[in-house]
Amino acid sequence: MSERLLRLMASRWTRLVLVSLILLGLQTTLLNDMRPFGVMIPVMLLFAVSAGTIYGSEIGAISGLIIGVMYDCVLSTPLGLASLVFGAAAYVAGFLPFFVREPTWWTRVITIGIAGAVGELAFPFAQSMVGFGGRFQPHVAGVVAFVVVAGMIVAPLLLPVCRWTLKESLVG
Amino acid sequence: MALLVLTSIILVTLDLQGSAATRSLRSIFGAVFRPVESVARVVTRPATNAWYGITHYNDVTAENELLREKIAQQEGAAVAAAASVRLSQELLALNGLPTLAGINSVSAQVIGDSPSNFVQSVEIDQGTESGIKVGMPVLNAAGLVGKITQVFANRAVVMLITDPQYALSVKIINAPKTTVTTVPNQDPASTVTIVSVPVTIDPLITVPTVPATSNIAGFTPGSIVAPRTPIISSSLTIPPGSNVSVRETGILEGRGAGRVPTVRFVDAAQRFGVVQPGSPIVTAGGSLSLAPPDIVVGTVSRVKERLGTAGPLLEIDIVADLSNLSFVRILLYQPITERTAP
């Protein structure tokens, strides 16, 4: 019993939940207040996308789902919407190895920026799909452009954190 | 990927159906996340303050000067307004009509904004334990802020009036058109007859040096003696027919961040006349409205004329500063159609 509990505590998914909780804390406080050009840096989305670029589509999609559900819990939009968008964005980001034979850190950084922007663009689209219309506002284009740049800046910090968080075993 | 889509769609469906399971999940997560958020807020406060110091310093000093000037201007007006409000409430109470003063309210602190670029909402630190329910109107000292959309035991989410999902029935109070009538006054020594209906008198009015008398029974004008001047005409502002403000209703709708809300479906009635920029907007109330009548929302900033029967589209300057909310008041008001029998 205790061995199973220990294994559960040491699992990559438990680590993901704990790290995401800290990132969500930063998202709702620091990043929510610090909005360069009036746009918030979607660090939760970028973290999900990072998981996809490092560990591939499947791990990315599951990570996106978990991170998205956590993010959904603090939003007023329907539960499951952010998880769908984050999961899809991370899944798309996971296709990087198909296009680049040996991804380097900077190809990952570019992928995170672009996939993050795709996710940010998909969010108002998903809201419209479930009846939360009127979300396509003129500032969407500005938000998406900003997320590309912000994603590339934040990615070098997120990549090592994500790599450690989703490492299969902490030993070795 | 298919599993991800399926899971998400199930969650969305359950939540849109108002499932108790998803509500409990949010509630439990809120309880777990609250301490983490508090710690994060404390830890990141210096960085946030530094950020505000760098980006908003000039705005803050300019705003401070402007506010001092406004306070000086409004101190006198506030006393008169308070007296008018009190009088109005007494009259309403005397006639058995509902007043805002008769509605219980709960004060709450804003504890967070929506962490999204596409949702305009804030979170407050009061919930069902204080009697708050979904739909209740939220105000600050200036006017209407939004409505409650989600409630938990000790917190609630307020949808701001700028959110594209927000809609509310409102009244536009259009001041009646005034006309200026010039009364010839050739003989400086003659007696001025004061009309009983004027609202304002042109500051250029010239009266003779002799004390004015009135033909109104029981009314004796003050013994103010105006200096003799050679101007031989006076102008009085007389509203045509009635000096009562005309009201018309419309639907207020939010349009998202950085865009002012609009009022649609305003009936272009003959009596109502042309809507003037600056006309006050207040809530309409009624048995189906989630807000009681006469909460101040804002003023008309721009009128967009539209063809056909669409009526004008009004852009609104909201009186409440939604970018800087600290404390709000939740009116524990439910329309008669929403109340459940005890």
Side-chain angles (χ1 to χ4, degrees), chain B:
Chain B
M1 183 62 190
L3 192 66
L4 158 81
V5 173
L6 197 64
T7 311
S8 300
I9 288 172
I10 289 169
L11 283 173
V12 170
T13 312
L14 285 174
D15 200 30
L16 287 176
Q17 295 292 321
S19 158
T22 56
R23 215 176 313 133
S24 314
L25 178 66
R26 276 185 203 267
S27 194
I28 292 165
F29 186 83
V32 173
F33 179 59
R34 183 76 41 231
V36 178
E37 192 181 27
S38 300
V39 171
R41 194 172 294 284
V42 171
V43 171
T44 60
R45 189 168 291 148
T48 310
N49 290 345
W51 171 261
Y52 279 131
I54 293 163
T55 56
H56 295 345
Y57 179 77
N58 290 336
D59 291 345
V60 169
T61 49
E63 192 183 14
N64 202 4
E65 278 175 25
L66 191 74
L67 288 174
R68 280 173 200 277
E69 204 178 303
K70 273 193 175 175
I71 286 170
Q73 283 174 358
Q74 289 182 351
E75 264 174 1
V79 176
S84 299
V85 168
R86 192 177 172 80
L87 189 68
S88 156
Q89 284 176 352
E90 277 174 14
L91 278 169
L92 287 168
L94 199 66
N95 289 289
L97 295 168
T99 67
L100 282 183
I103 301 170
N104 291 334
S105 64
V106 173
S107 293
Q109 190 175 4
V110 175
I111 52 172
D113 293 337
S114 168
S116 164
N117 288 315
F118 302 106
V119 179
Q120 278 76 53
S121 64
V122 292
E123 197 174 329
I124 56 172
D125 66 349
Q126 298 288 346
T128 47
E129 287 181 5
S130 307
I132 295 172
K133 291 179 180 170
V134 170
M136 287 180 169
V138 182
L139 292 70
N140 73 354
L144 189 70
V145 165
K147 67 177 177 186
I148 302 288
T149 49
Q150 283 177 1
V151 198
F152 304 96
N154 286 310
R155 63 192 181 94
V157 176
V158 179
M159 179 190 281
L160 301 178
I161 52 180
T162 49
D163 192 285
Q165 291 292 309
Y166 191 92
L168 183 73
S169 177
V170 291
K171 288 185 287 198
I172 305 107
I173 302 168
N174 210 14
K177 225 180 204 173
T178 55
T179 52
V180 175
T181 309
T182 303
V183 182
N185 189 6
Q186 294 297 333
D187 181 9
S190 68
T191 302
V192 174
T193 302
I194 300 169
V195 184
S196 59
V197 289
V199 174
T200 59
I201 297 176
D202 194 294
L204 291 173
I205 187 170
T206 308
V207 292
T209 52
V210 291
T213 59
S214 167
N215 61 352
I216 303 168
F219 174 71
T220 310
S223 58
I224 299 163
V225 179
R228 180 186 289 277
T229 57
I231 302 167
I232 51 168
S233 70
S234 61
S235 60
L236 302 173
T237 304
I238 303 166
S242 164
N243 59 352
V244 178
S245 299
V246 189
R247 295 178 174 213
E248 189 51 76
T249 56
I251 299 294
L252 179 136
E253 290 171 328
R255 292 198 299 164
R259 303 182 78 196
V260 292
T262 55
V263 174
R264 294 198 293 153
F265 308 124
V266 179
D267 186 16
Q270 192 74 29
R271 182 171 168 270
F272 187 56
V274 179
V275 180
Q276 304 291 327
S279 298
I281 307 277
V282 296
T283 54
S287 61
L288 293 172
S289 179
L290 290 172
D294 298 327
I295 300 175
V296 179
V297 178
T299 55
V300 176
S301 62
R302 194 167 152 222
V303 181
K304 282 186 183 171
E305 292 299 340
R306 294 188 295 179
L307 293 173
T309 55
L313 184 76
L314 315 178
E315 287 187 352
I316 308 302
D317 270 342
I318 308 165
V319 286
D321 181 6
L322 302 183
S323 62
N324 194 20
L325 290 170
S326 299
F327 290 93
V328 290
R329 193 159 63 97
I330 301 99
L331 290 183
L332 302 182
Y333 172 84
Q334 281 193 296
I336 203 155
T337 49
E338 297 273 321
R339 283 179 207 158
T340 49

